[in-house]
Amino acid sequence: MSLVFIGIDPNTGDHESPTVWVDPEANELVFQGWKPSLELQAECAALELPGHAVGIPEHEAVIRIPARMVPMIREACDVAERAAGRVR
């Protein structure tokens, strides 16, 4: 796997580093973020959405990403779309 680094939280300190990458081979966005509070995780797990089972599967996780990283996430989406265009 060869990840493409997109960006890191511009307000990062020594111990916090939400980060965005793209995996062009899998055509996926990869995020490192903050763990949610138990309350937030429970709220997400309890949501009943059409076509979505209640709960969070063992192979998935809820993460938090600061809104100030939206431009990086948009860039990651663009990179992933370009990579997908090469794959098709």
Side-chain angles (χ1 to χ4, degrees), residues 16-74:
E16 297 184 7
S17 55
T19 307
V20 180
W21 298 270
V22 172
D23 178 344
E25 294 173 19
N27 196 33
E28 296 174 342
L29 305 181
V30 180
F31 296 100
Q32 175 181 327
W34 301 305
K35 292 180 180 180
S37 66
L38 293 177
E39 294 81 13
L40 177 60
Q41 188 159 330
E43 181 178 346
C44 291
L47 289 175
E48 294 186 34
L49 305 168
H52 189 276
V54 174
I56 301 169
E58 279 297 313
H59 65 280
E60 296 182 7
V62 173
I63 63 166
R64 297 177 67 111
I65 298 287
R68 63 183 165 266
M69 293 182 69
V70 166
M72 289 174 214
I73 295 167
R74 285 190 183 118

Side-chain angles (χ1 to χ4, degrees), residues 2-15:
S2 182
L3 293 177
V4 176
F5 171 75
I6 301 299
I8 191 167
D9 179 2
N11 291 1
T12 194
D14 291 337
H15 303 290

Side-chain angles (χ1 to χ4, degrees), residues 22 27 29 74-86 88:
V22 172
N27 196 33
L29 305 181
R74 285 190 183 118
E75 180 181 347
C77 291
D78 292 342
V79 169
E81 284 183 333
R82 285 193 299 273
R86 288 194 300 266
R88 290 183 188 161

